mmCIF file of all heavy atoms in Angstrom:
data_model
loop_
_atom_site.group_PDB
_atom_site.id
_atom_site.type_symbol
_atom_site.label_atom_id
_atom_site.label_comp_id
_atom_site.label_asym_id
_atom_site.label_seq_id
_atom_site.Cartn_x
_atom_site.Cartn_y
_atom_site.Cartn_z
ATOM 1 N N ASN I 1 24.480 -21.626 -28.034
ATOM 2 C CA ASN I 1 25.179 -22.993 -27.894
ATOM 3 C C ASN I 1 24.100 -24.142 -27.741
ATOM 4 O O ASN I 1 24.145 -25.177 -28.237
ATOM 5 C CB ASN I 1 26.069 -22.979 -26.675
ATOM 6 C CG ASN I 1 26.820 -24.401 -26.537
ATOM 7 O OD1 ASN I 1 27.620 -24.640 -27.337
ATOM 8 N ND2 ASN I 1 26.769 -24.848 -25.257
ATOM 9 N N LYS I 2 22.944 -23.856 -26.965
ATOM 10 C CA LYS I 2 21.985 -24.793 -26.829
ATOM 11 C C LYS I 2 21.252 -25.133 -28.133
ATOM 12 O O LYS I 2 20.839 -26.101 -28.424
ATOM 13 C CB LYS I 2 20.979 -24.312 -25.777
ATOM 14 C CG LYS I 2 20.237 -25.461 -25.046
ATOM 15 C CD LYS I 2 21.231 -26.557 -24.510
ATOM 16 C CE LYS I 2 22.275 -26.020 -23.724
ATOM 17 N NZ LYS I 2 23.160 -27.172 -23.212
ATOM 18 N N GLY I 3 21.100 -23.945 -28.913
ATOM 19 C CA GLY I 3 20.512 -24.163 -30.245
ATOM 20 C C GLY I 3 21.367 -25.079 -31.153
ATOM 21 O O GLY I 3 20.829 -25.920 -32.021
ATOM 22 N N LEU I 4 22.704 -24.949 -31.184
ATOM 23 C CA LEU I 4 23.621 -25.833 -31.833
ATOM 24 C C LEU I 4 23.391 -27.218 -31.406
ATOM 25 O O LEU I 4 23.474 -28.166 -32.185
ATOM 26 C CB LEU I 4 25.082 -25.339 -31.764
ATOM 27 C CG LEU I 4 25.312 -23.843 -32.372
ATOM 28 C CD1 LEU I 4 26.671 -23.431 -31.870
ATOM 29 C CD2 LEU I 4 25.203 -23.875 -33.812
ATOM 30 N N GLU I 5 23.307 -27.469 -30.043
ATOM 31 C CA GLU I 5 23.179 -28.713 -29.455
ATOM 32 C C GLU I 5 21.833 -29.454 -29.851
ATOM 33 O O GLU I 5 21.789 -30.583 -30.065
ATOM 34 C CB GLU I 5 23.330 -28.581 -28.057
ATOM 35 C CG GLU I 5 24.732 -28.357 -27.470
ATOM 36 C CD GLU I 5 24.843 -28.162 -26.101
ATOM 37 O OE1 GLU I 5 23.834 -28.382 -25.322
ATOM 38 O OE2 GLU I 5 25.970 -27.914 -25.541
ATOM 39 N N VAL I 6 20.792 -28.637 -30.134
ATOM 40 C CA VAL I 6 19.526 -29.165 -30.638
ATOM 41 C C VAL I 6 19.682 -29.750 -32.005
ATOM 42 O O VAL I 6 19.298 -30.866 -32.153
ATOM 43 C CB VAL I 6 18.401 -28.101 -30.528
ATOM 44 C CG1 VAL I 6 17.182 -28.560 -31.382
ATOM 45 C CG2 VAL I 6 17.982 -27.693 -29.161
ATOM 46 N N ILE I 7 20.434 -28.869 -32.858
ATOM 47 C CA ILE I 7 20.671 -29.542 -34.148
ATOM 48 C C ILE I 7 21.592 -30.711 -34.162
ATOM 49 O O ILE I 7 21.348 -31.679 -34.890
ATOM 50 C CB ILE I 7 21.290 -28.345 -35.055
ATOM 51 C CG1 ILE I 7 20.281 -27.124 -35.159
ATOM 52 C CG2 ILE I 7 21.602 -28.739 -36.476
ATOM 53 C CD1 ILE I 7 20.961 -25.906 -35.800
ATOM 54 N N GLU I 8 22.621 -30.644 -33.336
ATOM 55 C CA GLU I 8 23.487 -31.740 -33.217
ATOM 56 C C GLU I 8 22.834 -33.033 -32.612
ATOM 57 O O GLU I 8 22.941 -34.222 -33.235
ATOM 58 C CB GLU I 8 24.587 -31.436 -32.250
ATOM 59 C CG GLU I 8 25.729 -32.398 -32.222
ATOM 60 C CD GLU I 8 26.948 -31.939 -31.305
ATOM 61 O OE1 GLU I 8 26.857 -30.915 -30.603
ATOM 62 O OE2 GLU I 8 27.929 -32.561 -31.329
ATOM 63 N N ALA I 9 21.870 -32.904 -31.764
ATOM 64 C CA ALA I 9 21.165 -34.014 -31.274
ATOM 65 C C ALA I 9 20.259 -34.655 -32.235
ATOM 66 O O ALA I 9 19.950 -35.835 -32.245
ATOM 67 C CB ALA I 9 20.333 -33.503 -29.943
ATOM 68 N N LYS I 10 19.625 -33.729 -33.062
ATOM 69 C CA LYS I 10 18.824 -34.235 -34.156
ATOM 70 C C LYS I 10 19.664 -35.333 -34.960
ATOM 71 O O LYS I 10 19.070 -36.358 -35.389
ATOM 72 C CB LYS I 10 18.382 -33.149 -35.030
ATOM 73 C CG LYS I 10 17.484 -33.595 -36.268
ATOM 74 C CD LYS I 10 18.322 -33.452 -37.566
ATOM 75 C CE LYS I 10 17.394 -33.653 -38.784
ATOM 76 N NZ LYS I 10 16.932 -35.011 -38.853
ATOM 77 N N TRP I 11 20.776 -35.074 -35.343
ATOM 78 C CA TRP I 11 21.611 -35.946 -36.134
ATOM 79 C C TRP I 11 22.184 -37.017 -35.360
ATOM 80 O O TRP I 11 22.078 -38.272 -35.886
ATOM 81 C CB TRP I 11 22.734 -35.078 -36.885
ATOM 82 C CG TRP I 11 22.282 -34.126 -37.912
ATOM 83 C CD1 TRP I 11 22.319 -32.792 -37.824
ATOM 84 C CD2 TRP I 11 21.514 -34.435 -39.094
ATOM 85 N NE1 TRP I 11 21.597 -32.238 -38.894
ATOM 86 C CE2 TRP I 11 21.272 -33.222 -39.644
ATOM 87 C CE3 TRP I 11 21.274 -35.655 -39.738
ATOM 88 C CZ2 TRP I 11 20.573 -33.169 -40.951
ATOM 89 C CZ3 TRP I 11 20.568 -35.602 -40.973
ATOM 90 C CH2 TRP I 11 20.280 -34.392 -41.585
ATOM 91 N N LEU I 12 22.690 -36.837 -34.227
ATOM 92 C CA LEU I 12 23.294 -37.884 -33.416
ATOM 93 C C LEU I 12 22.282 -39.043 -33.102
ATOM 94 O O LEU I 12 22.690 -40.139 -33.175
ATOM 95 C CB LEU I 12 23.835 -37.249 -32.082
ATOM 96 C CG LEU I 12 25.237 -36.774 -32.058
ATOM 97 C CD1 LEU I 12 25.492 -36.049 -30.713
ATOM 98 C CD2 LEU I 12 26.303 -37.828 -32.364
ATOM 99 N N PHE I 13 21.107 -38.604 -32.714
ATOM 100 C CA PHE I 13 20.107 -39.557 -32.196
ATOM 101 C C PHE I 13 18.943 -39.766 -33.125
ATOM 102 O O PHE I 13 18.005 -40.513 -32.825
ATOM 103 C CB PHE I 13 19.597 -39.073 -30.703
ATOM 104 C CG PHE I 13 20.727 -38.760 -29.960
ATOM 105 C CD1 PHE I 13 21.082 -37.506 -29.381
ATOM 106 C CD2 PHE I 13 21.612 -39.799 -29.535
ATOM 107 C CE1 PHE I 13 22.206 -37.300 -28.593
ATOM 108 C CE2 PHE I 13 22.722 -39.619 -28.706
ATOM 109 C CZ PHE I 13 22.983 -38.236 -28.245
ATOM 110 N N ASP I 14 18.993 -39.250 -34.329
ATOM 111 C CA ASP I 14 17.948 -39.581 -35.294
ATOM 112 C C ASP I 14 16.558 -39.254 -34.825
ATOM 113 O O ASP I 14 15.642 -40.168 -34.852
ATOM 114 C CB ASP I 14 18.107 -40.867 -35.851
ATOM 115 C CG ASP I 14 17.265 -41.253 -37.047
ATOM 116 O OD1 ASP I 14 16.884 -40.206 -37.745
ATOM 117 O OD2 ASP I 14 16.854 -42.373 -37.356
ATOM 118 N N VAL I 15 16.433 -38.074 -34.324
ATOM 119 C CA VAL I 15 14.962 -37.662 -33.747
ATOM 120 C C VAL I 15 14.541 -36.343 -34.458
ATOM 121 O O VAL I 15 15.358 -35.582 -35.011
ATOM 122 C CB VAL I 15 15.129 -37.402 -32.226
ATOM 123 C CG1 VAL I 15 15.387 -38.725 -31.489
ATOM 124 C CG2 VAL I 15 16.052 -36.401 -31.894
ATOM 125 N N ASN I 16 13.207 -36.137 -34.366
ATOM 126 C CA ASN I 16 12.672 -34.938 -35.044
ATOM 127 C C ASN I 16 13.085 -33.730 -34.042
ATOM 128 O O ASN I 16 12.984 -33.955 -32.763
ATOM 129 C CB ASN I 16 11.257 -34.907 -35.143
ATOM 130 C CG ASN I 16 10.834 -35.885 -36.282
ATOM 131 O OD1 ASN I 16 11.553 -36.074 -37.361
ATOM 132 N ND2 ASN I 16 9.822 -36.713 -36.069
ATOM 133 N N PRO I 17 13.383 -32.538 -34.585
ATOM 134 C CA PRO I 17 13.668 -31.409 -33.608
ATOM 135 C C PRO I 17 12.487 -31.064 -32.742
ATOM 136 O O PRO I 17 12.663 -30.708 -31.531
ATOM 137 C CB PRO I 17 13.935 -30.273 -34.589
ATOM 138 C CG PRO I 17 14.423 -30.866 -35.833
ATOM 139 C CD PRO I 17 13.714 -32.222 -35.880
ATOM 140 N N SER I 18 11.335 -31.388 -33.192
ATOM 141 C CA SER I 18 10.039 -31.127 -32.357
ATOM 142 C C SER I 18 10.096 -31.992 -31.059
ATOM 143 O O SER I 18 9.322 -31.843 -30.196
ATOM 144 C CB SER I 18 8.806 -31.315 -33.081
ATOM 145 O OG SER I 18 8.768 -32.644 -33.719
ATOM 146 N N ASP I 19 10.842 -33.086 -31.210
ATOM 147 C CA ASP I 19 10.907 -34.033 -30.017
ATOM 148 C C ASP I 19 12.127 -33.804 -29.066
ATOM 149 O O ASP I 19 12.474 -34.564 -28.329
ATOM 150 C CB ASP I 19 10.968 -35.478 -30.589
ATOM 151 C CG ASP I 19 9.616 -35.891 -31.240
ATOM 152 O OD1 ASP I 19 8.594 -35.492 -30.775
ATOM 153 O OD2 ASP I 19 9.758 -36.714 -32.178
ATOM 154 N N ILE I 20 12.646 -32.598 -29.341
ATOM 155 C CA ILE I 20 13.796 -32.169 -28.531
ATOM 156 C C ILE I 20 13.416 -31.071 -27.680
ATOM 157 O O ILE I 20 13.071 -29.933 -28.162
ATOM 158 C CB ILE I 20 15.130 -31.800 -29.265
ATOM 159 C CG1 ILE I 20 15.493 -33.089 -30.172
ATOM 160 C CG2 ILE I 20 16.177 -31.436 -28.362
ATOM 161 C CD1 ILE I 20 16.675 -32.692 -31.166
ATOM 162 N N GLN I 21 13.131 -31.104 -26.392
ATOM 163 C CA GLN I 21 12.820 -30.126 -25.557
ATOM 164 C C GLN I 21 13.968 -29.588 -24.667
ATOM 165 O O GLN I 21 14.560 -30.364 -23.976
ATOM 166 C CB GLN I 21 11.597 -30.565 -24.587
ATOM 167 C CG GLN I 21 11.065 -29.600 -23.634
ATOM 168 C CD GLN I 21 9.984 -30.130 -22.727
ATOM 169 O OE1 GLN I 21 9.423 -31.098 -23.078
ATOM 170 N NE2 GLN I 21 9.628 -29.395 -21.642
ATOM 171 N N VAL I 22 14.240 -28.322 -24.745
ATOM 172 C CA VAL I 22 15.230 -27.640 -23.813
ATOM 173 C C VAL I 22 14.693 -27.305 -22.505
ATOM 174 O O VAL I 22 13.643 -26.685 -22.310
ATOM 175 C CB VAL I 22 15.978 -26.465 -24.530
ATOM 176 C CG1 VAL I 22 16.880 -25.696 -23.622
ATOM 177 C CG2 VAL I 22 16.564 -26.941 -25.886
ATOM 178 N N VAL I 23 15.498 -27.639 -21.442
ATOM 179 C CA VAL I 23 15.046 -27.430 -20.108
ATOM 180 C C VAL I 23 16.233 -26.871 -19.344
ATOM 181 O O VAL I 23 17.386 -27.390 -19.360
ATOM 182 C CB VAL I 23 14.763 -28.819 -19.284
ATOM 183 C CG1 VAL I 23 14.358 -28.504 -17.803
ATOM 184 C CG2 VAL I 23 13.567 -29.529 -19.981
ATOM 185 N N VAL I 24 16.006 -25.574 -18.697
ATOM 186 C CA VAL I 24 17.050 -24.979 -17.917
ATOM 187 C C VAL I 24 17.246 -25.528 -16.578
ATOM 188 O O VAL I 24 16.316 -25.839 -15.896
ATOM 189 C CB VAL I 24 16.700 -23.432 -17.690
ATOM 190 C CG1 VAL I 24 17.782 -22.807 -16.852
ATOM 191 C CG2 VAL I 24 16.656 -22.781 -19.084
ATOM 192 N N GLN I 25 18.477 -25.976 -16.325
ATOM 193 C CA GLN I 25 18.847 -26.752 -14.998
ATOM 194 C C GLN I 25 20.033 -25.986 -14.446
ATOM 195 O O GLN I 25 21.203 -26.433 -14.824
ATOM 196 C CB GLN I 25 19.075 -28.218 -15.249
ATOM 197 C CG GLN I 25 18.827 -29.122 -14.152
ATOM 198 C CD GLN I 25 19.916 -29.019 -13.013
ATOM 199 O OE1 GLN I 25 20.917 -29.454 -13.300
ATOM 200 N NE2 GLN I 25 19.654 -28.300 -11.921
ATOM 201 N N PRO I 26 19.858 -24.912 -13.668
ATOM 202 C CA PRO I 26 20.958 -24.040 -13.382
ATOM 203 C C PRO I 26 22.051 -24.619 -12.636
ATOM 204 O O PRO I 26 23.226 -24.090 -12.804
ATOM 205 C CB PRO I 26 20.270 -23.051 -12.463
ATOM 206 C CG PRO I 26 18.861 -23.077 -12.761
ATOM 207 C CD PRO I 26 18.538 -24.647 -13.101
ATOM 208 N N GLN I 27 21.957 -25.778 -11.856
ATOM 209 C CA GLN I 27 23.030 -26.282 -11.018
ATOM 210 C C GLN I 27 23.948 -27.234 -11.956
ATOM 211 O O GLN I 27 24.981 -27.537 -11.519
ATOM 212 C CB GLN I 27 22.557 -27.248 -9.912
ATOM 213 C CG GLN I 27 21.760 -26.322 -8.918
ATOM 214 C CD GLN I 27 20.180 -26.479 -9.099
ATOM 215 O OE1 GLN I 27 19.828 -26.718 -10.133
ATOM 216 N NE2 GLN I 27 19.486 -26.226 -8.102
ATOM 217 N N SER I 28 23.506 -27.469 -13.174
ATOM 218 C CA SER I 28 24.313 -28.348 -14.119
ATOM 219 C C SER I 28 24.663 -29.702 -13.497
ATOM 220 O O SER I 28 25.722 -30.108 -13.439
ATOM 221 C CB SER I 28 25.542 -27.601 -14.629
ATOM 222 O OG SER I 28 25.249 -26.443 -15.337
ATOM 223 N N ILE I 29 23.579 -30.225 -12.794
ATOM 224 C CA ILE I 29 23.764 -31.566 -12.143
ATOM 225 C C ILE I 29 23.035 -32.568 -13.087
ATOM 226 O O ILE I 29 23.636 -33.668 -13.326
ATOM 227 C CB ILE I 29 23.199 -31.586 -10.830
ATOM 228 C CG1 ILE I 29 24.019 -30.715 -9.790
ATOM 229 C CG2 ILE I 29 22.913 -32.931 -10.314
ATOM 230 C CD1 ILE I 29 23.398 -30.427 -8.491
ATOM 231 N N ILE I 30 21.811 -32.246 -13.645
ATOM 232 C CA ILE I 30 21.278 -33.073 -14.618
ATOM 233 C C ILE I 30 21.736 -32.659 -15.945
ATOM 234 O O ILE I 30 21.633 -31.531 -16.469
ATOM 235 C CB ILE I 30 19.760 -33.029 -14.652
ATOM 236 C CG1 ILE I 30 19.165 -33.411 -13.321
ATOM 237 C CG2 ILE I 30 19.104 -33.934 -15.756
ATOM 238 C CD1 ILE I 30 17.630 -33.154 -13.212
ATOM 239 N N HIS I 31 22.594 -33.559 -16.657
ATOM 240 C CA HIS I 31 23.250 -33.070 -17.855
ATOM 241 C C HIS I 31 22.302 -33.438 -19.094
ATOM 242 O O HIS I 31 22.633 -32.809 -20.168
ATOM 243 C CB HIS I 31 24.514 -33.935 -17.977
ATOM 244 C CG HIS I 31 25.486 -33.491 -16.896
ATOM 245 N ND1 HIS I 31 25.900 -32.252 -16.757
ATOM 246 C CD2 HIS I 31 26.085 -34.333 -15.952
ATOM 247 C CE1 HIS I 31 26.625 -32.140 -15.661
ATOM 248 N NE2 HIS I 31 26.785 -33.383 -15.194
ATOM 249 N N SER I 32 21.279 -34.168 -19.031
ATOM 250 C CA SER I 32 20.243 -34.271 -19.971
ATOM 251 C C SER I 32 19.528 -35.602 -19.641
ATOM 252 O O SER I 32 19.862 -36.436 -18.824
ATOM 253 C CB SER I 32 20.790 -34.355 -21.426
ATOM 254 O OG SER I 32 20.914 -33.071 -21.913
ATOM 255 N N MET I 33 18.336 -35.755 -20.324
ATOM 256 C CA MET I 33 17.383 -36.864 -20.017
ATOM 257 C C MET I 33 16.771 -37.354 -21.369
ATOM 258 O O MET I 33 16.694 -36.685 -22.347
ATOM 259 C CB MET I 33 16.240 -36.348 -18.954
ATOM 260 C CG MET I 33 16.776 -35.786 -17.750
ATOM 261 S SD MET I 33 15.480 -34.971 -16.785
ATOM 262 C CE MET I 33 15.502 -33.319 -17.548
ATOM 263 N N VAL I 34 16.277 -38.577 -21.177
ATOM 264 C CA VAL I 34 15.521 -39.123 -22.319
ATOM 265 C C VAL I 34 14.106 -39.684 -21.661
ATOM 266 O O VAL I 34 14.134 -40.381 -20.665
ATOM 267 C CB VAL I 34 16.172 -40.335 -22.898
ATOM 268 C CG1 VAL I 34 15.343 -41.039 -23.985
ATOM 269 C CG2 VAL I 34 17.365 -39.941 -23.513
ATOM 270 N N GLU I 35 13.005 -39.297 -22.249
ATOM 271 C CA GLU I 35 11.645 -39.678 -21.884
ATOM 272 C C GLU I 35 11.290 -40.735 -22.833
ATOM 273 O O GLU I 35 11.416 -40.579 -24.077
ATOM 274 C CB GLU I 35 10.707 -38.560 -21.886
ATOM 275 C CG GLU I 35 9.383 -38.947 -21.518
ATOM 276 C CD GLU I 35 8.266 -37.853 -21.584
ATOM 277 O OE1 GLU I 35 8.649 -36.718 -21.187
ATOM 278 O OE2 GLU I 35 7.197 -38.149 -22.144
ATOM 279 N N TYR I 36 10.872 -41.900 -22.297
ATOM 280 C CA TYR I 36 10.437 -43.091 -23.125
ATOM 281 C C TYR I 36 8.887 -42.983 -23.244
ATOM 282 O O TYR I 36 8.086 -42.441 -22.607
ATOM 283 C CB TYR I 36 10.859 -44.262 -22.659
ATOM 284 C CG TYR I 36 12.518 -44.442 -22.826
ATOM 285 C CD1 TYR I 36 13.293 -43.971 -21.778
ATOM 286 C CD2 TYR I 36 13.029 -44.984 -23.914
ATOM 287 C CE1 TYR I 36 14.739 -44.015 -22.010
ATOM 288 C CE2 TYR I 36 14.389 -45.011 -24.128
ATOM 289 C CZ TYR I 36 15.210 -44.479 -23.089
ATOM 290 O OH TYR I 36 16.518 -44.536 -23.353
#
């Protein structure tokens, strides 16, 4: 599922897959982040 989301994020946000980093956050409180 997270792999599918990486591919989806590439298209949604027009970014390179190498610029998408998966981070495990077990409590599911941080839903995702953007680093500028």
Side-chain angles (χ1 to χ4, degrees):
N1 186 54
K2 205 52 51 181
L4 295 170
E5 289 177 2
V6 167
I7 301 173
E8 192 177 6
K10 176 255 187 298
W11 292 112
L12 273 172
F13 306 114
D14 189 24
V15 294
N16 293 321
S18 59
D19 293 328
I20 304 170
Q21 179 181 344
V22 174
V23 179
V24 175
Q25 204 287 288
Q27 297 99 337
S28 295
I29 289 171
I30 302 175
H31 297 301
S32 276
M33 302 169 276
V34 177
E35 179 184 315
Y36 290 91

